[in-house]
Amino acid sequence: MRTNIDIDDVLMAKAKKLSNLKTKKAIIEQALKLYVTLENQQKLAELWGKVEIDDKAFE
C-alpha cells in the first residue's frame, strides 16, 4: 500500500541509527511489526487470571 506521511526527521534519524536499517520503508515496517507485537502482548496480559488452562491436555 502506498501512503504519503510526514515523519519527524529527527525521530527517523534516531530510528535509522539505532536499527541499522537502510531504508525508511524498512524502519517503518519494523516499527509496525513491533507495535502489533506489543498490542498483542497487552491483550494477552489483560487475560491473565481470566483464562484457565488445562495442563493435562499437553501431556
Side-chain angles (χ1 to χ4, degrees):
M1 169 190 338
R2 183 169 292 278
T3 304
N4 292 328
I5 55 176
D6 186 24
I7 301 172
D8 183 291
D9 291 331
V10 174
L11 186 58
M12 180 59 74
K14 287 179 182 180
K16 189 172 185 179
K17 184 176 181 181
L18 286 170
S19 70
N20 292 320
L21 296 172
K22 303 293 182 207
T23 66
K24 290 178 183 178
K25 179 182 176 186
I27 293 167
I28 292 169
E29 286 178 349
Q30 184 67 28
L32 288 171
K33 287 176 188 176
L34 177 60
Y35 176 77
V36 169
T37 298
L38 291 173
E39 287 297 318
N40 284 334
Q41 288 175 352
Q42 180 62 37
K43 288 183 192 298
L44 282 173
E46 290 170 3
L47 292 174
W48 185 263
K50 296 180 182 177
V51 177
E52 189 172 321
I53 297 176
D54 181 9
D55 308 28
K56 295 179 175 124
F58 298 106
E59 292 179 356

